Amino acid sequence: MKTYSYPRSQEIFRRASKVIPSGIYGHLGPSQGCFIPVQAYPFFVERAKGAYFWDVDGNRFIDYMCAYGPNVLGYNDPDVDEAVSKQMAIGNCTTLPTTKMIELAELLVDTVTSADWAFFAKNGGDVTSFALMTARAATNRPKVILFHGGYHGVAPWAQKLGYPGITAADTENNIYVHWNNYAEIQAAVRDNPGQIACLMAPPYHHPIFEDNQLPAEGFWAKVRKLCTDNGIVLAIDDVRCGFRLDNRGSDYYYGFKADLICFCKALANGWNVSALCGTDSLKEAASAVMYTGSYWLSSAPFAAAIATVTKLRQIDGAKLMLAQGRKLTAGLREIGLVHGFDLRISGEPSMWFMRIANDDNMLLHQEWVAECVRRGAFFTNHHNLFINCALSDEDIKHTFAIAEDAFKTVKERHPEIF
Amino acid sequence: MAEEKVKACINLHAVLRNLEDLCELDPMSRKIIQGKNVALKFSVVGISKSVITFTEGKCTAVKGDGPCSINLYFSSPRNFNLMIEGKKNPIPTKGFQHIGFLKNEFTKLADRLSYYLKPTAELLGDKEYARINTILTAYTAFFAIPEIANWDPLGQLNASRIADGAINVEVIDGPAISITAKGGRLETSKGKTANARAFMVFDSIDTASGILNGTLDSYSCIGEGRLSISGFVPMIDNLNKILAQVPGYLM
Ligand SMILES: Cc1ncc(COP(=O)(O)O)c(C=O)c1O
């Protein structure tokens, strides 16, 4: 199978490094994006369509990162982009909002089971921070229970003491517990009476570099009850899972009801809008918090979100992505086994995590992922992957061929193991 | 003060430890210790001792207690740090007959060490100087890491986040070091460890020198493939946060 090279990407990266901190900062960059080895990865996209992107060297990739989630219907979805064009012709960032904002709020209240209202911002981190502030405003309490290995964005409270730029004051109200450990949560609540405003959690545990974990049987029911009994706001960070498990919310998917729920990534198919939805009892607190931004009420992203959510409901996008994910992951695991690789799949199939478990240092996994990327299946080795609705059976078949060739290549390279 | 303690640990177990490598790498230092036979113990109240032995033209630095011919006693980490800064003279509690070694050879070695650890742009232009500077700077930084990890409050936090196992750090055509984590405590040793869980490779002395001396941005180097990282990367992410604390203690 032909393998890719990236001379232009590398040349452009050097240009970027001169004027941009770290060249490409953040999760899309080679450092945080764990491009291992960097030579196996492209750095810049030239164009994208459906389930694919093409890099600046002209290589095509089946994209299993989906911009880390936003690409849910397929890049440049015609329905979404048409809605955006129409709105752009009327007005976007204006002195007063347009009624698109209400349409989107109504649509979310109608779609998301736990939502009585919706508040809009831009990024996932905007709404996780807002959820915490709303919970504090409502309860007049300072603390928050969070899970080890969780991610809620880059606001100082969501980072860790010891990280650059973070002070002890930023994180002093955080209490960390382990996923699925109900006894630990109970103890945290018992030890901090009248102090805990909020428990913030993803619907299931999706850390990087580790097998992802679904909620244990009865976990959410117990946590829900504990929060209710102790006046703690249960905030679900559905930024990553939202609309990939169930259009009605991932709390609905796991059979409980959140007080607050954060959406971002899949909400508008790549257009910049995030939302915090909540129950009536928290609407006043949400109004009371001072929270806004220059572009938060822009109308074009609202139009994109309306078109995206409407289409996801029409085609039952979550169900479709779960089904495609199941097909893909079952196939990858099977092909791996044939060649002696223990490829472990965890998490939900529409945003699965995978890891070759033959060694304990991820080296084989990183090699295999790199060989897949070089053949046109864009995976990362540290993070969960994503399915989008444009991914076809043909794409899955082609991915199997890539995976097989990559497994063979890695196996041949390691006669000491296989 | 906690900060003085960490600084003293670094000064002793990371900076002075370099005498071992200095005497191997620098011909002038090798000459200074020619024919000397002295074991120098540093006893600083509140931190681990170190014995630096000069024998048969070689120097070895060993962390921990041991026999010595001269014992230098410091009543506090601060007093030791003042000696390192040249603001206080060391006073032996044993081995007065070797006072000449302290005044002459040891002082000269200390000067050679700071010559290599305090580079100028001009000095770095010399390839051999740059090579020795990089090796000693790398050893200083990576031997300082466990001291920060074990004694500095933020260092302890970041160290507690490092999974058990070894991290290999390698400079192509240069030194290799491994850092082993166990239960949040770290230990550095020279050379690579088999079965490491995470790997950091500088593609050349130049790259390592640039990153350690702050003239190259490590993130851009990762993008350009000059610094490569692999394996269980969260170990390295947390290690790097401790590494970033090193310059603060060396000022
Ligand atoms: C679960 C979760 N919460 C919050 C965020 C932060 O979102 P953003 O990067 O849009 O601020 C992310 C982003 O990856 C996420 O996955």
Side-chain angles (χ1 to χ4, degrees):
Chain A
M1 202 176 258
K2 180 179 163 278
T3 57
Y4 296 166
S5 62
Y6 313 99
R8 221 172 120 57
S9 257
Q10 282 152 11
E11 182 192 320
I12 297 176
F13 183 81
R14 282 190 286 276
R15 185 177 132 213
S17 294
K18 292 195 182 118
V19 287
I20 296 168
S22 40
I24 309 168
Y25 48 82
H27 60 299
L28 302 188
S31 174
Q32 273 187 42
C34 282
F35 294 0
I36 298 170
V38 282
Q39 293 80 0
Y41 288 79
F43 292 162
F44 295 95
V45 163
E46 190 152 273
R47 67 195 168 91
K49 179 74 195 156
Y52 317 118
F53 72 79
W54 288 260
D55 71 5
V56 288
D57 287 283
N59 304 306
R60 189 197 82 160
F61 296 85
I62 302 175
D63 181 9
Y64 289 106
M65 287 314 290
C66 298
Y68 281 72
N71 180 31
V72 65
L73 288 171
Y75 289 115
N76 303 343
D77 179 84
D79 298 321
V80 176
D81 289 2
E82 192 194 329
V84 171
S85 302
K86 274 193 181 150
Q87 187 57 44
M88 286 298 278
I90 306 169
N92 179 30
C93 184
T94 44
T95 298
L96 305 175
T98 68
T99 52
K100 275 284 171 263
M101 178 179 176
I102 316 167
E103 277 178 52
L104 177 57
E106 286 168 345
L107 179 62
L108 285 180
V109 166
D110 186 54
T111 307
V112 176
T113 304
S114 59
D116 293 323
W117 51 266
F119 179 109
F120 303 109
K122 284 290 141 201
N123 290 295
D126 295 336
V127 286
T128 55
S129 289
F130 184 52
L132 181 53
M133 290 172 82
T134 300
R136 284 176 174 156
T139 59
N140 219 0
R141 300 172 181 178
K143 296 190 179 176
V144 55
I145 297 179
L146 301 166
F147 289 87
H148 285 291
Y151 183 75
H152 303 292
V154 290
W157 69 267
Q159 298 208 30
K160 294 198 180 89
L161 184 57
Y163 284 23
I166 305 304
T167 67
D170 292 326
T171 56
E172 71 184 10
N173 287 311
N174 298 354
I175 300 168
Y176 288 94
V177 293
H178 292 90
W179 183 256
N180 272 342
N181 191 333
Y182 178 70
E184 225 181 324
I185 303 171
Q186 223 176 2
V189 172
R190 186 192 58 222
D191 296 345
N192 295 274
Q195 290 288 298
I196 300 171
C198 181
L199 183 146
M200 189 178 293
Y204 76 88
H205 190 45
H206 44 53
I208 52 172
F209 280 103
E210 277 172 40
D211 292 342
N212 290 188
Q213 291 180 58
L214 301 184
E217 182 76 35
F219 177 70
W220 276 126
K222 281 189 282 185
V223 172
R224 174 66 275 182
K225 182 167 187 316
L226 185 72
C227 289
T228 305
D229 291 350
N230 290 276
I232 297 167
V233 173
L234 176 55
I236 290 303
D237 179 350
D238 218 3
V239 166
R240 206 180 304 176
C241 303
F243 302 98
R244 275 193 165 82
L245 308 187
D246 196 302
N247 294 331
R248 290 163 287 191
S250 301
D251 54 346
Y252 180 87
Y253 183 77
Y254 288 122
F256 70 102
K257 202 167 169 228
D259 298 316
L260 293 173
I261 184 162
C262 310
F263 294 105
C264 179
K265 295 177 179 294
L267 183 57
N269 208 47
W271 292 90
N272 50 358
V273 58
S274 60
L276 179 71
C277 295
T279 55
D280 266 332
S281 63
L282 291 166
K283 197 165 161 213
E284 193 168 327
S287 307
V289 175
M290 166 65 185
Y291 212 59
T292 185
S294 295
Y295 306 103
W296 288 12
L297 303 192
S298 294
S299 297
F302 290 151
I306 294 164
T308 304
V309 174
T310 304
K311 192 161 177 178
L312 283 170
R313 281 176 64 160
Q314 276 164 5
I315 63 174
D316 203 344
K319 202 169 155 194
L320 196 150
M321 288 183 279
L322 284 164
Q324 290 300 71
R326 254 175 234 120
K327 249 186 258 172
L328 179 78
T329 53
L332 290 175
R333 167 141 184 88
E334 204 177 298
I335 297 164
L337 280 177
V338 168
H339 295 282
F341 290 85
D342 178 12
L343 182 72
R344 302 233 175 121
I345 309 288
S346 57
E348 293 285 0
S350 51
M351 40 179 287
W352 83 105
F353 178 79
M354 60 181 171
R355 172 178 74 91
I356 291 174
N358 297 50
D359 54 13
D360 81 334
N361 55 16
M362 309 277 293
L363 285 184
L364 283 175
H365 186 63
Q366 285 161 357
E367 273 189 48
W368 175 71
V369 166
E371 293 308 326
C372 290
V373 172
R374 282 191 171 115
R375 287 161 176 78
F378 195 92
F379 295 136
T380 58
N381 60 69
H382 67 304
H383 195 281
N384 71 273
L385 297 304
F386 295 92
I387 302 279
N388 65 79
C389 298
L391 184 78
S392 67
D393 286 346
E394 199 50 45
D395 296 327
I396 292 179
K397 226 173 103 190
H398 185 53
T399 306
F400 289 159
I402 289 174
E404 173 139 44
D405 201 47
F407 278 130
K408 280 185 188 159
T409 304
V410 176
K411 186 178 175 176
E412 273 162 28
R413 209 183 281 153
H414 291 285
E416 79 286 3
I417 300 176
F418 296 97
Chain B
M1 241 176 76
E3 217 169 287
E4 288 286 351
K5 175 174 169 165
V6 185
K7 202 168 167 178
C9 289
I10 292 173
N11 277 333
L12 184 55
H13 301 303
V15 179
L16 272 191
R17 195 217 62 83
N18 278 319
L19 290 175
E20 172 175 306
D21 304 285
L22 178 78
C23 292
E24 195 182 313
L25 296 165
D26 175 41
M28 199 184 285
S29 301
R30 225 178 301 145
K31 220 160 131 195
I32 294 170
I33 65 164
Q34 203 78 62
K36 300 294 163 199
N37 225 323
V38 176
L40 202 53
K41 178 152 75 186
F42 290 87
S43 307
V44 184
V45 170
I47 74 170
S48 307
K49 294 180 171 55
S50 174
V51 181
I52 302 179
T53 308
F54 303 89
T55 173
E56 290 165 17
K58 265 191 75 166
C59 169
T60 45
V62 177
K63 193 172 179 176
D65 209 348
C68 68
S69 42
I70 314 179
N71 184 28
L72 296 177
Y73 172 84
F74 300 87
S75 60
S76 69
R78 177 160 171 75
N79 282 337
F80 176 68
N81 292 333
L82 286 172
M83 189 276 289
I84 294 287
E85 287 162 28
K87 293 179 186 151
K88 227 181 160 103
N89 287 324
I91 301 164
T93 56
K94 174 187 167 186
F96 297 98
Q97 68 276 29
H98 297 292
I99 203 116
F101 179 84
L102 275 184
K103 281 200 167 142
N104 299 312
E105 286 83 359
F106 185 74
T107 309
K108 280 187 204 154
L109 287 178
D111 288 346
R112 285 307 282 168
L113 190 56
S114 51
Y115 166 75
Y116 280 113
L117 287 178
K118 295 193 172 131
T120 61
E122 200 188 331
L123 281 171
L124 285 171
D126 178 80
K127 257 198 140 34
E128 182 57 9
Y129 175 91
R131 187 180 78 90
I132 298 177
N133 161 267
T134 305
I135 295 172
L136 297 182
T137 307
Y139 282 147
T140 305
F142 287 100
F143 277 93
I145 282 177
E147 305 305 330
I148 294 172
N150 298 339
W151 306 113
D152 173 275
L154 288 184
Q156 285 168 343
L157 257 182
N158 281 320
S160 73
R161 298 176 184 134
I162 301 181
D164 284 359
I167 302 168
N168 277 350
V169 181
E170 184 183 1
V171 182
I172 302 288
D173 296 326
I177 294 147
S178 80
I179 293 138
T180 307
K182 192 154 189 245
R185 287 188 73 84
L186 305 186
E187 207 178 299
T188 296
S189 50
K190 285 202 224 170
K192 286 192 275 184
T193 299
N195 301 321
R197 293 191 69 199
F199 308 84
M200 199 166 157
V201 181
F202 298 84
D203 71 347
S204 65
I205 291 265
D206 275 356
T207 300
S209 163
I211 290 175
L212 293 169
N213 288 314
T215 57
L216 277 179
D217 158 23
S218 57
Y219 293 95
S220 300
C221 286
I222 290 176
E224 288 168 18
R226 300 170 69 176
L227 168 58
S228 65
I229 278 168
S230 61
F232 194 62
V233 174
M235 294 174 80
I236 296 181
D237 284 343
N238 288 306
L239 185 81
N240 281 343
K241 294 191 171 86
I242 304 173
L243 184 60
Q245 285 185 272
V246 173
Y249 278 109
L250 292 177
M251 285 204 299

